[in-house]
Amino acid sequence: MSLKPRRVDFKETWTNLLGTVEGVITCGQVKRATWNDRFSDVYALCVAFPEPLGDQLYNETKSFLEDHVSKLHMDVCESGEENVLAIYHRHWREYSKGSNYLNQLYGYLNTQYIKTKKNSDADLIYGTYTGSSEENVLEIGELGLDIWKRLMITPLKDVLLKLLLKEIKKDRLGDSINQGVIQGVILSLVNVEQYKKKRPLQLYEELFEEVFLDETGSYYKQEANKLLDEFSCSEYMEKVSQRLDDENLRSRKFLHGSSYSKVTHKCQEVMVAAHLSFLHSECKIMVQKEIRHDLKNMYNLLHPIAGGLEVLIDHQQKHTKHLGLDAVSNLKGDNIPQQFVENILEVYTQQRELIQSVYSGDLKFIGALDRACTTVVNHRPSQRVPCKSPELLAKYCNRLLKKSNKGMSENEVDDKLTNSVTVFKYLDDKDIFQRFYARMLARRLIYAQSMSMDAEEAMINKLKQACGYEFTNKLHRMFTDISISRSDLQNKFSAFIKDEAIDLGISFSILVLQAGAWPIGQSNLPTFSMPQELEKNVNMFESFYNRSVSGRKLTWMHTFCSGELKLNYLKEPYFVTVGTFHMAILLTFNNSITCTFADIMESTRLPEPELVKQIQTLVDTKIIVTQDSSIVDEKSALMLNMGYINKRTKFKITTTVQKDTAQDVEHTHTAIDEDRKLYIQAAVVRTMKARKILKHNLLIQEVISQSKSRFSPSISMIKKCIESLIDKQYLERTPKFTHEYSYIA
């Protein structure tokens, strides 16, 4: 076949082409040779000489399609109402498939003739073209769909809509319908405009979807009212959930994907949102009784509704708070710290599991759990009484990390410590925990009471992850001091003694601790005269240390020292570990079995109150006895108990410094208050140095923001700190406003 333009008899060519077009549009039998020849006919008409005949071909094809669709429309109308949907669907399947083939047959006309006259995509999308589809030149496939819309759907729209809604209602009632026909008719409203660039779903939405959604809302509104009258809240939720699932499935059987969420939203609106007050009224009892099945249904129904979960979240938070306060109130016994922490963790674990299984781990409920746990952990019976939680948590960790904690493996201890960090995160006063934890850690390290140094370090790293390096900086330095003292420093001192050829006579080890890192006060240290037996060792170490390190001063903390004595005066020897003060007292009995209080006081140089306390401990343990009464005073005469018996040949006498007294706790809280004041003042100065001028309320907010990771400062404390800084001339009030501060450089 020649591709050169030639003269073409349009009437003759169209007559040949028309037969094929009829066969194609009705999906009839068309021979392949005929099909191929018709491509040549379309091409010949489009490039005909002297004038292309594309216009005529387009118009004749349009007229044919209009006549064909009109005949199909008449056939649908004459089929009777009960058959309209089935006949329409049959004709649509045939026509849509045929128009697609026809579009292929007219491929050359589409690309060469129609393309030059067709409005661009930009005109259609951005709205510069305002004409109707009849005025616009469409590709043959698009033209066929447009004709179907105008001559079939538009005249039948009311009938189609009525019948579609009727069939869908029958499906809701459980009657049998032809799913394929219903779905095909509905989707024809989508497919007939699929070629559009702008709002391709307009016909579907305006003709069917809007009315369908209104009808769906009315149907389920009546259904909801009926269910409310017949069933309880629990049963109502079950029925509504079932209805929502059914309608969701129905949407997927019949509707376009864009309608799925709209239908679900409409059902939720009339069956859930319209009855929120009823559902909310049942939340409290369900939460209190933890009826998981009902709570899960309640959550699933309320979750999609704006503001629907607020009441349920509030009840869940109050319930968790109530459980927590019940768990930690009226604790009795010797292991209150353990009861406190493990009871809180039990409530936390139980409620967290409930949130995961019932509320699908919803972050809003996890936030409510966090708020409830924060309230419980930081609860105080009275505002005048400090919160005990930081101290109890520190004691719990101390118990886990001490050697005396037997019966648990290292993995079990690590799990419990990890869980304790959960409670720690809820503490407002983390600085109080830090102070108590540091004191207890110091005792464990100094007296070698730690179960495992690895466990100690792991716990510090857990705290570091929770609060940052600054929070655990001093704890790390304490570890470093112990490590250096017990290995490097001790080895160097031993080498020094060996080089100097000095025999100390006794085994002697030293811990050198940084004053700034350890929670050990150096003020109010009692006067004390070192026992003669230890003077040589102490002097040699001071000589060694002064040679090794310059610019540092050693302060001997005798209250934290201990030694091992051998009791040779009894029937069998005993080895007893005692504090330095006890050691000095017992060593005075080397020269005499009996000593007076005055003799011991002169030998040790201890203040009278301290000496009474130390001797009383030895009397209570029956190593020393008094000649007149069991109460020690300045007139007491003391003597060794020559009949002393102990089940163990090696034992330890615990010094008072190894136990927390009420006075120690009070001093700790006082020290914390002072630290807080300094922290707040530093935060104020940092803020004002950066801002230069700041209003009072903004400064308060900034200080609270900076402090909340360590503690919750009171407004009154912040105000006092600001006044103190004004007195120290770090800040001043601006001349114009008394509630505004400026920084003094």
Side-chain angles (χ1 to χ4, degrees):
M1 181 191 79
S2 174
L3 297 178
K4 291 177 64 177
R6 56 187 175 82
R7 293 183 181 275
V8 178
D9 184 342
F10 178 81
K11 187 175 181 179
E12 180 184 350
T13 305
W14 169 245
T15 301
N16 295 332
L17 185 59
L18 181 59
T20 303
V21 170
E22 288 179 347
V24 170
I25 203 65
T26 57
C27 294
Q29 293 292 331
V30 178
K31 295 181 179 179
R32 179 165 294 277
T34 304
W35 171 257
N36 292 336
D37 289 343
R38 297 298 83 83
F39 275 98
S40 302
D41 290 342
V42 171
Y43 173 79
L45 291 171
C46 291
V47 298
F49 179 82
E51 290 292 334
L53 300 174
D55 279 338
Q56 286 181 263
L57 176 60
Y58 182 84
N59 292 330
E60 288 293 338
T61 304
K62 181 178 179 182
S63 298
F64 165 76
L65 291 175
E66 289 174 343
D67 292 341
H68 179 67
V69 173
S70 296
K71 292 176 183 177
L72 296 179
H73 172 251
M74 290 297 297
D75 185 41
V76 171
C77 292
E78 293 171 357
S79 62
E81 186 175 284
E82 66 278 4
N83 297 319
V84 165
L85 293 179
I87 301 300
Y88 172 92
H89 178 244
R90 190 184 71 203
H91 287 327
W92 163 250
R93 288 180 59 191
E94 178 186 276
Y95 182 82
S96 60
K97 187 176 181 181
S99 63
N100 185 44
Y101 286 132
L102 196 62
N103 191 60
Q104 298 176 31
L105 180 62
Y106 280 72
Y108 192 82
L109 180 71
N110 290 336
T111 56
Q112 299 301 318
Y113 168 72
I114 296 176
K115 186 177 180 181
T116 60
K117 297 189 176 185
K118 187 179 180 181
N119 289 293
S120 68
D121 290 345
D123 292 335
L124 296 173
I125 294 173
Y126 298 110
T128 57
Y129 172 75
T130 58
S132 67
S133 59
E134 294 183 53
E135 298 171 2
N136 184 26
V137 178
L138 301 174
E139 293 183 10
I140 296 302
E142 298 171 355
L143 177 66
L145 295 176
D146 183 68
I147 291 171
W148 181 271
K149 171 190 167 185
R150 288 189 291 106
L151 301 182
M152 179 67 81
I153 293 178
T154 301
L156 287 175
K157 62 181 181 180
D158 293 333
V159 175
L160 290 176
L161 181 60
K162 173 187 171 183
L163 294 174
L164 287 172
L165 295 178
K166 180 180 177 182
E167 291 298 304
I168 292 175
K169 186 173 183 179
K170 286 172 63 179
D171 185 69
R172 286 174 179 152
L173 296 173
D175 295 339
S176 177
I177 63 170
N178 192 326
Q179 176 183 334
V181 170
I182 305 303
Q183 183 188 46
V185 174
I186 293 173
L187 292 184
S188 73
L189 305 179
V190 176
N191 297 332
V192 80
E193 287 193 330
Q194 65 183 354
Y195 62 88
K196 282 189 173 182
K197 302 294 183 181
K198 186 177 182 181
R199 296 192 64 189
L201 297 176
Q202 182 178 3
L203 177 67
Y204 168 77
E205 291 172 349
E206 293 178 354
L207 176 59
F208 174 76
E209 187 183 67
E210 292 177 2
V211 180
F212 173 75
L213 291 176
D214 290 341
E215 191 274 339
T216 299
S218 299
Y219 177 82
Y220 282 109
K221 183 177 180 180
Q222 294 177 1
E223 183 76 2
N225 292 330
K226 179 182 176 183
L227 294 174
L228 284 171
D229 292 337
E230 296 179 2
F231 299 104
S232 66
C233 181
S234 176
E235 294 169 322
Y236 177 77
M237 291 190 297
E238 287 278 2
K239 298 294 183 183
V240 169
S241 297
Q242 184 62 47
R243 298 295 189 277
L244 289 173
D245 290 341
D246 290 345
E247 196 63 27
N248 189 37
L249 178 61
R250 189 170 293 109
S251 297
R252 281 157 175 75
K253 285 198 301 183
F254 300 131
L255 307 183
H256 183 260
S258 63
S259 299
Y260 298 166
S261 60
K262 297 176 186 178
V263 173
T264 302
H265 177 74
K266 175 60 73 172
C267 294
Q268 290 167 342
E269 183 181 317
V270 297
M271 301 188 80
V272 181
H275 304 286
L276 275 183
S277 57
F278 167 69
L279 294 172
H280 285 163
S281 66
E282 300 292 327
C283 287
K284 184 176 181 180
I285 191 68
M286 290 180 185
V287 170
Q288 289 177 343
K289 293 184 177 180
E290 294 189 5
I291 308 173
R292 295 199 172 201
H293 182 70
D294 286 350
L295 286 174
K296 191 175 184 67
N297 285 336
M298 182 72 77
Y299 171 76
N300 290 334
L301 292 180
L302 296 180
H303 180 255
I305 309 301
L309 286 175
E310 300 305 321
V311 172
L312 181 58
I313 291 171
D314 184 59
H315 285 306
Q316 189 65 48
Q317 181 176 332
K318 289 178 179 176
H319 176 62
T320 304
K321 176 184 171 182
H322 175 72
L323 291 176
L325 292 176
D326 280 352
V328 299
S329 60
N330 302 320
L331 298 177
K332 297 177 182 178
D334 297 331
N335 59 342
I336 289 179
Q338 180 181 355
Q339 294 178 51
F340 173 80
V341 175
E342 293 185 354
N343 286 0
I344 287 179
L345 287 173
E346 182 180 355
V347 171
Y348 171 82
T349 304
Q350 176 196 2
Q351 293 300 303
R352 185 67 186 249
E353 186 275 329
L354 183 143
I355 289 171
Q356 290 294 337
S357 60
V358 174
Y359 304 126
S360 303
D362 193 309
L363 293 179
K364 292 180 180 178
F365 285 89
I366 292 176
L369 173 63
D370 290 340
R371 291 191 295 272
C373 290
T374 299
T375 302
V376 172
V377 170
N378 297 288
H379 175 71
R380 57 181 73 181
S382 170
Q383 291 301 318
R384 297 180 180 180
V385 180
C387 180
K388 289 285 187 181
S389 301
E391 181 183 353
L392 293 174
L393 181 60
K395 288 181 177 178
Y396 175 76
C397 295
N398 181 57
R399 176 181 169 276
L400 290 175
L401 291 166
K402 288 182 75 172
K403 278 183 181 177
S404 56
N405 178 32
K406 296 179 181 178
M408 280 195 289
S409 66
E410 287 194 14
N411 289 337
E412 290 174 327
V413 170
D414 185 66
D415 290 341
K416 287 182 176 291
L417 291 173
T418 300
N419 291 334
S420 71
V421 174
T422 301
V423 180
F424 168 76
K425 291 177 180 178
Y426 292 125
L427 286 175
D428 284 341
D429 300 324
K430 292 182 173 63
D431 57 336
I432 297 179
F433 169 85
Q434 181 194 40
R435 177 69 68 149
F436 278 103
Y437 186 87
R439 283 170 57 85
M440 295 171 187
L441 174 63
R443 293 194 189 100
R444 293 197 300 273
L445 294 179
I446 291 172
Y447 298 118
Q449 294 177 340
S450 291
M451 180 190 74
S452 164
M453 296 302 284
D454 290 340
E456 293 281 7
E457 192 167 4
M459 181 60 185
I460 293 175
N461 287 332
K462 289 180 175 67
L463 296 175
K464 179 180 176 181
Q465 290 176 358
C467 279
Y469 175 76
E470 183 184 355
F471 186 84
T472 58
N473 182 26
K474 290 185 178 181
L475 304 181
H476 280 295
R477 288 165 63 190
M478 291 164 65
F479 248 88
T480 303
D481 287 347
I482 293 295
S483 177
I484 292 174
S485 297
R486 286 183 175 162
S487 57
D488 185 60
L489 189 65
Q490 192 65 43
N491 292 337
K492 288 181 179 178
F493 178 59
S494 299
F496 170 78
I497 296 299
K498 186 176 181 180
D499 293 342
E500 297 291 329
I502 298 171
D503 182 16
L504 296 179
I506 60 175
S507 178
F508 184 74
S509 62
I510 295 290
L511 298 177
V512 179
L513 314 177
Q514 300 177 64
W518 291 73
I520 300 173
Q522 298 183 49
S523 59
N524 301 322
L525 293 176
T527 56
F528 178 64
S529 176
M530 184 73 67
Q532 186 177 355
E533 291 84 349
L534 296 177
E535 284 184 358
K536 181 179 179 182
N537 301 64
V538 170
N539 292 334
M540 289 307 301
F541 184 80
E542 287 183 345
S543 175
F544 155 74
Y545 194 76
N546 290 333
R547 289 188 193 179
S548 303
V549 181
S550 60
R552 294 186 183 179
K553 179 184 176 183
L554 287 175
T555 300
W556 291 92
M557 307 297 294
H558 299 296
T559 52
F560 291 92
C561 299
S562 63
E564 187 177 73
L565 295 177
K566 183 179 181 182
L567 305 183
N568 296 311
Y569 57 88
L570 300 170
K571 290 182 180 180
E572 57 179 308
Y574 289 94
F575 294 90
V576 55
T577 302
V578 293
T580 308
F581 295 160
H582 287 158
M583 182 189 299
I585 293 169
L586 290 173
L587 286 175
T588 59
F589 290 92
N590 267 339
N591 301 322
S592 174
I593 295 177
T594 304
C595 290
T596 64
F597 184 90
D599 293 337
I600 297 174
M601 187 171 179
E602 182 180 358
S603 174
T604 61
R605 303 290 182 184
L606 282 170
E608 182 178 319
E610 182 67 29
L611 184 58
V612 169
K613 185 169 65 174
Q614 298 294 335
I615 293 176
Q616 187 65 57
T617 302
L618 294 173
V619 170
D620 292 342
T621 58
K622 298 181 181 180
I623 290 180
I624 295 176
V625 295
T626 57
Q627 293 182 348
D628 41 12
S629 75
S630 60
I631 303 300
V632 177
D633 56 30
E634 68 275 7
K635 298 178 182 179
S636 297
L638 306 158
M639 62 181 295
L640 290 174
N641 180 6
M642 305 305 290
Y644 178 79
I645 297 176
N646 197 311
K647 293 180 180 179
R648 299 179 178 179
T649 57
K650 294 184 72 173
F651 59 94
K652 182 177 182 179
I653 298 175
T654 305
T655 58
T656 54
V657 76
Q658 291 180 254
K659 300 177 182 178
D660 264 334
T661 63
Q663 189 178 8
D664 290 334
V665 173
E666 185 178 346
H667 287 165
T668 300
H669 281 288
T670 303
I672 289 168
D673 285 340
E674 293 302 317
D675 288 347
R676 287 183 173 184
K677 290 176 184 177
L678 294 175
Y679 188 92
I680 291 172
Q681 289 180 15
V684 171
V685 171
R686 277 197 307 270
T687 303
M688 292 304 301
K689 189 173 182 180
R691 304 284 185 87
K692 304 303 180 187
I693 296 177
L694 200 61
K695 291 184 178 179
H696 175 79
N697 289 339
L698 293 177
L699 179 58
I700 295 288
Q701 292 174 9
E702 185 63 30
V703 172
I704 291 174
S705 175
Q706 291 187 30
S707 306
K708 66 181 180 182
S709 62
R710 294 178 62 87
F711 61 95
S712 297
S714 64
I715 303 298
S716 60
M717 180 180 283
I718 298 175
K719 288 180 178 179
K720 289 177 181 178
C721 291
I722 292 173
E723 292 297 331
S724 175
L725 291 172
I726 291 174
D727 293 340
K728 295 176 183 178
Q729 297 186 348
Y730 283 94
L731 313 176
E732 66 178 1
R733 290 185 171 86
T734 56
K736 294 183 179 180
F737 305 104
T738 57
H739 61 280
E740 189 174 64
Y741 306 106
S742 64
Y743 178 71
I744 301 175

